[in-house]
Amino acid sequence: PFSTSVIAAPAAAEAPDALVKRISADVIDTVKADKDIQAGNRAKIMDLVNSKILPHVDAEKMTAQAAGPFWRQATPEQQKRLSEEFRTLLVYTYSGALSQIKNETVEFKPMRSSPQDTDVEVRSQVNVTRGEPITLNYRLSKGNQGWKIYDINVLGAWLVETYKGTFKAEINKSGIDGLINRLAERNRQLASKPLKAPK
């Protein structure tokens, strides 16, 4: 027990903006250094997302927020399956974005928060070679495992808000299982498509 608490301490103590900066730098440096990833190698990109991003994402909280009141109506098994499918969808979303990285740089905005906060927003923008900078903001909450990301804002739209309407419509139409099946089908479609469009 003593050794695990020592190992876990630095992660829990890391400030949320420092955590997001570290993940961003790590991911972008990995992409820029790997020609296979730049060429759209699915296995390598998925591995990058799974190893460097997902450990810092609270997929269950993200799914619960997107499902809203319906989350409490779901059985533990349905909650587990829904979280897994939504998490997989996030992997594809991230992977598609990462496959497009070229010479972008990420600029972080000053974070407005106090030390006792347990829910914060970290704001950044991705500066692209041509065109307008891309907004990329993160919502994080602090739990027993330290800070975890539970929502992402790309181009002004929060991911959880974006999916709330879809989740609600699908659950009203065909129940929680219907939503799980819909997400599973979407993930199967994404699995069969190349991450990058051929040039």
Side-chain angles (χ1 to χ4, degrees):
F2 178 72
S3 60
T4 52
S5 64
V6 171
I7 292 165
E14 190 174 19
D17 52 342
L19 172 69
V20 175
K21 283 177 190 175
R22 180 169 63 80
I23 299 165
S24 299
D26 195 6
V27 167
I28 287 175
D29 289 350
T30 304
V31 172
K32 287 181 176 176
D34 194 317
K35 294 279 182 268
D36 287 344
I37 288 180
Q38 290 167 30
N41 181 308
R42 176 186 294 280
K44 278 200 167 186
I45 295 172
M46 302 280 269
D47 184 55
L48 174 63
V49 174
N50 279 305
S51 63
K52 294 189 185 293
I53 298 174
L54 280 188
H56 306 289
V57 172
D58 188 340
E60 184 172 299
K61 178 167 182 163
M62 201 177 249
T63 312
Q65 294 216 323
F70 297 106
W71 180 254
R72 288 188 297 277
Q73 298 170 20
T75 65
E77 178 59 27
Q78 286 175 321
Q79 289 179 348
K80 181 170 171 284
R81 286 184 59 212
L82 194 54
S83 291
E84 283 170 358
E85 294 298 346
F86 196 34
R87 188 174 180 272
T88 304
L89 188 60
L90 289 177
V91 173
Y92 286 120
T93 304
Y94 264 121
S95 301
L98 290 180
S99 69
Q100 308 301 322
I101 289 178
K102 295 287 178 289
N103 299 307
E104 288 79 0
T105 55
V106 182
E107 182 186 320
F108 285 87
K109 309 290 176 73
M111 192 175 77
R112 294 187 293 272
S113 69
S114 56
Q116 64 269 28
D117 286 347
T118 56
D119 200 299
V120 298
E121 183 178 334
V122 175
R123 297 176 305 134
S124 75
Q125 66 179 36
V126 181
N127 298 317
V128 294
T129 316
R130 285 189 283 275
E132 292 292 309
I134 299 162
T135 302
L136 192 56
N137 297 344
Y138 304 82
R139 282 184 176 140
L140 296 93
S141 61
K142 191 177 188 181
N144 297 333
Q145 303 293 312
W147 289 96
K148 293 252 186 181
I149 297 163
Y150 70 89
D151 205 356
I152 299 151
N153 182 320
V154 185
L155 295 169
W158 287 103
L159 199 67
V160 166
E161 287 301 319
T162 304
Y163 278 102
K164 258 184 184 168
T166 311
F167 276 27
K168 184 179 180 181
E170 194 60 43
I171 291 169
N172 281 332
K173 190 173 80 177
S174 49
I176 305 274
D177 285 335
L179 174 59
I180 292 167
N181 294 335
R182 173 86 182 271
L183 289 175
E185 178 56 35
R186 179 79 184 120
N187 287 330
R188 278 193 292 275
Q189 288 169 359
L190 290 168
S192 65
K193 289 180 181 172
L195 288 173
K196 293 179 92 161
K199 287 194 172 59

